[in-house]
């Protein structure tokens, strides 16, 4: 790497870190206030699901909706209903005990942000180390600067939706694919599908990507389809 490239990477990484530091600090500062839209509306649902899960009412929700019949909660005459009639979430509840250590709106968002940032950074490094070992460091530095400095917060601020837990699992599936670890690949695909049925559709689409673009890995496509399609 030339000295000019090294200087560019350092400056680029510093700018990305500074910019995103401001955005994430602003986001969590707003969550700590009583004025934040990020802790109202749809955020109430995942927060209550975590609360009920660690208090002996797993998968139960008591939100009464008289507006949107499409989500399956409208005019519910009972105190509680099983949320699996709307969406089936399983993998996200692995994080419920961690949330219970500090049960708050800020910490639920914090878990989602940390899971995606740290998991995404680790798996990005693993993928790049395998695919480009000779010039791994500069590529990893640039990729991580883009990863942390990009617009990921615009996705992660989506009201604590459980589908947000799928990000690192998608990267994990790709890392297992590149490593040729079919058993690990299947385990990650299962965990991804169990995030929600929406994520199962992502697994199906990923299988078609493998079939079309990773022809030497086509057995992995059948592995993904073999679980994701029946589950979906």
């Amino acid at each position: 790497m030339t000295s000019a490239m090294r200087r560019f990477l350092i400056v680029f990484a510093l700018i990305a870190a500074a910019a995103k530091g401001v955005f994430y600090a602003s986001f969590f500062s707003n969550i700590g206030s009583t004025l934040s839209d990020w802790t109202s509306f749809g955020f109430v649902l995942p927060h209550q699901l975590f609360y009920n899960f660690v208090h002996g009412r797993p998968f139960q929700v008591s939100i009464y909706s008289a507006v949107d019949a499409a989500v399956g909660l409208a005019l519910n005459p009972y105190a509680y209903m099983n949320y699996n009639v709307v969406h089936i979430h399983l993998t996200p509840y692995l994080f419920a005990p961690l949330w219970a250590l500090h049960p708050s709106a800020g910490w639920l968002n914090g878990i989602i942000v940390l899971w995606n940032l740290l998991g995404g950074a680790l798996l990005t490094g693993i993928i790049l180390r395998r695919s480009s070992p000779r010039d791994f460091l500069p590529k990893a530095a640039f990729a991580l600067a883009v990863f942390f400095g990009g617009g990921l917060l615009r996705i992660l601020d989506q009201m604590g939706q459980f589908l947000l837990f799928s990000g690192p699992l998608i990267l994990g599936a790709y890392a297992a694919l590149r490593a040729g670890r079919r058993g690990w690949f299947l385990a990650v695909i299962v965990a991804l599908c169990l995030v929600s049925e929406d994520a199962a559709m992502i697994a199906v689409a990923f299988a078609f990507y493998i079939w079309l673009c990773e022809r030497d890995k086509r057995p992995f496509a059948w592995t993904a389809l073999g679980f994701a399609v029946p589950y979906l």
Side-chain angles (χ1 to χ4, degrees):
M1 184 194 302
T2 65
S3 58
M5 290 177 60
R6 186 178 290 106
R7 286 195 298 272
F8 167 77
L9 281 174
I10 293 173
V11 172
F12 181 67
L14 289 174
I15 292 174
K20 282 306 152 179
V22 171
F23 280 114
Y24 281 97
S26 173
F27 174 67
F28 282 100
S29 175
N30 274 278
I31 286 176
S33 74
T34 59
L35 306 174
S36 174
D37 285 344
W38 287 310
T39 55
S40 60
F41 305 109
F43 181 81
V44 176
L45 178 62
H47 195 267
Q48 187 188 73
L49 286 170
F50 262 25
Y51 180 88
N52 286 340
F53 188 85
V54 299
H55 286 84
R57 294 188 295 271
F59 316 119
Q60 301 298 301
V61 63
S62 61
I63 294 175
Y64 182 89
S65 174
V67 179
D68 190 357
V71 299
L73 301 178
L75 304 177
N76 173 32
Y78 303 102
Y80 286 92
M81 65 177 285
N82 192 310
Y83 191 67
N84 288 331
V85 303
V86 183
H87 286 292
I88 297 176
H89 303 295
L90 296 173
T91 301
Y93 290 110
L94 295 175
F95 295 85
L98 180 62
W99 172 82
L101 297 176
H102 184 67
S104 65
W107 182 222
L108 177 52
N109 279 281
I111 290 172
I112 291 171
V113 167
L114 289 173
W115 167 243
N116 279 274
L117 292 185
L118 298 181
L122 175 63
L123 289 162
T124 296
I126 290 172
I127 292 168
L128 285 174
R129 181 176 288 279
R130 178 168 294 275
S131 62
S132 187
R134 292 184 61 184
D135 49 0
F136 161 72
L137 287 177
K139 287 185 176 181
F142 181 76
L144 292 177
V146 172
F147 178 72
F148 283 102
L152 187 60
L153 180 59
R154 186 64 186 88
I155 299 170
L156 299 182
D157 68 3
Q158 295 302 302
M159 303 296 176
Q161 294 182 49
F162 283 170
L163 190 59
L164 296 172
F165 286 99
S166 63
L169 296 173
I170 297 168
L171 279 175
Y174 186 72
L177 172 74
R178 300 308 306 159
R181 303 291 295 274
R182 199 167 172 184
W184 279 108
F185 178 81
L186 176 59
V188 177
I189 288 293
V190 170
L192 174 61
C193 290
L194 297 184
V195 169
S196 78
E197 66 278 8
D198 301 336
M201 289 189 281
I202 295 172
V204 173
F206 184 50
F208 280 107
Y209 155 77
I210 297 171
W211 180 262
L212 292 172
C213 303
E214 305 272 357
R215 296 191 176 187
D216 59 323
K217 304 286 188 182
R218 281 185 170 179
F220 286 78
W222 291 117
T223 298
L225 290 172
F227 181 84
V229 169
Y231 180 77
L232 182 59

